[in-house]
Amino acid sequence: MSRIVYVDGAYLPEADAKVSVFDRAFLMGDGVYEVTTVLEGRLVDFAGHMRRLIRSLTELAIRPPATEEELLAIHRELVRRNELDEGIVYLQVTRGVADRDFLYPPADTRPTLVLFTQKMAVLERESVRRGLSVATLPDIRWGRRDIKTVQLLYPSMAKMEAKARGADDAWLVDTEGRVTEGSSNNAYIITPDRRIVTRRLSQDILHGITRASVVRLAAEEGYTIDEGGFTVPEAKAATEAFITSASSFVTPVVSIDGSPVGTGTPGEATRRLRDIYIAESLRTAI
Ligand code: PDD
């Protein structure tokens, strides 16, 4: 079945869904996006994704293309038209269509709004049973990683390099040797004294919507949340490690640069955090 894609007010068969070659996202990477997970045909953490979308748009002075209520209606209509039970909705907003220029076009330029669905298994995944291996690579992305822009070339290069090294994904490391985040996820370790360590929110990382929920749920479970960040040797000495993102939820990391983390198999604490997060998501999805 060909998907139905939303482009600027129209629901179109994917072959007919097109944007201009003069779109600023095509020419300048001038756009932002969100990925919202769908479980049982409902949207997980929708309000959080919309809050971050507005923040990204505000930081870049791009006009919001629609109200949150309208965006919710479009998400739901797309889920309905594509009979999506489990997967994701991808949303992209660009600054719109204008002659190529480094200066932004006038503020009243109409932003481009595109949404599409992707069917995928998010609950049952081989990566969760097996655990992920990661390779560490220097974080050479730009300095505003808190804005969820479509400039994803380095994360893509890093993931390719990780694959070439035989790993599933990359963990990116700053110039002081501290892990920032994964190529498309937030990174955590669990220490022998039951601390969950991750990077503090700043312009260095994306403010994960899943991160916010998982940190809250982990604190309710009695974990101490340490936002001081961690080095690669600290990660290798951890009892467990994991990542979070909208599509991976909580997924164990079992090896770093070929060194096993803890037993080298998915850990009990990570499994429990995943289960709690999924239960909460199923309870609160809209
Ligand atoms: N990636 N860090 C980066 C660099 C990301 O790209 C993502 C999300 C996250 C996790 O954020 P959230 O929990 O809100 O999904 C952290 C999405 C899923 C993607 O690009 O496909």
Side-chain angles (χ1 to χ4, degrees):
M1 185 186 85
S2 154
R3 275 174 296 189
I4 299 297
V5 172
Y6 177 94
V7 184
D8 290 335
Y11 293 89
L12 302 165
E14 62 181 55
D16 300 331
K18 299 196 166 97
V19 294
S20 165
V21 296
F22 296 104
D23 194 280
R24 294 268 307 179
F26 183 63
L27 296 176
M28 319 290 264
D30 191 356
V32 302
Y33 74 107
E34 282 296 331
V35 174
T36 305
T37 296
V38 174
L39 281 182
E40 296 180 349
R42 291 175 297 132
L43 300 156
V44 174
D45 267 334
F46 181 77
H49 287 289
M50 290 307 103
R51 261 197 305 280
R52 187 173 60 193
L53 174 67
I54 295 303
R55 181 176 182 280
S56 294
L57 292 170
T58 305
E59 292 297 314
L60 296 177
I62 298 176
R63 206 151 60 89
T67 64
E68 181 172 333
E69 214 168 65
E70 289 165 339
L71 290 173
L72 175 59
I74 297 167
H75 276 77
R76 284 180 162 161
E77 182 61 14
L78 216 50
V79 167
R80 191 187 70 74
R81 288 190 188 223
N82 289 290
E83 298 174 9
L84 184 67
D85 186 54
E86 193 172 319
I88 58 140
V89 179
Y90 176 92
L91 169 153
Q92 181 168 325
V93 181
T94 85
R95 198 180 300 281
V97 176
D99 267 348
R100 184 175 183 276
D101 191 340
F102 282 77
L103 291 171
Y104 296 168
D108 61 354
T109 302
R110 186 167 65 99
T112 302
L113 175 61
V114 170
L115 287 90
F116 59 81
T117 56
Q118 219 162 288
K119 216 182 254 288
M120 62 168 85
V122 281
L123 291 176
E124 294 299 326
R125 283 193 162 184
E126 177 60 20
S127 57
V128 175
R129 281 187 290 276
R130 195 173 35 81
L132 297 171
S133 57
V134 298
T136 61
L137 289 164
D139 194 342
I140 59 165
R141 296 173 299 166
W142 78 323
R144 289 305 307 272
R145 302 159 191 163
D146 56 313
I147 307 173
K148 198 165 171 61
T149 79
V150 296
Q151 303 172 109
L152 296 174
L153 189 52
Y154 186 66
S156 192
M157 288 168 72
K159 191 153 183 171
M160 287 300 290
E161 178 58 24
K163 289 272 176 201
R165 295 183 190 184
D168 297 306
D169 201 356
W171 271 11
L172 306 176
V173 180
D174 69 14
T175 49
E176 270 121 55
R178 308 183 78 74
V179 172
T180 51
E181 59 186 335
S183 64
S184 61
N185 42 66
N186 292 116
Y188 310 74
I189 59 171
I190 306 180
T191 60
D193 60 350
R194 272 177 70 83
R195 272 180 305 123
I196 293 184
V197 189
T198 193
R199 184 115 176 171
R200 183 168 290 108
L201 297 183
S202 72
Q203 296 183 355
D204 294 344
I205 63 168
L206 186 74
H207 301 188
I209 302 306
T210 319
R211 178 191 186 281
S213 297
V214 168
V215 161
R216 176 174 49 76
L217 294 168
E220 286 168 17
E221 280 287 294
Y223 284 99
T224 302
I225 310 298
D226 177 346
E227 295 189 312
F230 56 87
T231 63
V232 175
E234 282 166 348
K236 288 179 179 170
T239 36
E240 294 184 35
F242 63 92
I243 57 159
T244 66
S245 74
S247 49
S248 69
F249 295 150
V250 177
T251 297
V253 169
V254 295
S255 93
I256 300 170
D257 292 335
S259 302
V261 178
T263 61
T265 56
E268 194 47 40
T270 301
R271 194 191 55 75
R272 179 154 171 75
L273 285 173
R274 180 179 173 86
D275 288 349
I276 294 169
Y277 176 74
I278 290 173
E280 156 113 342
S281 298
L282 285 168
R283 199 172 53 73
T284 58
I286 60 166

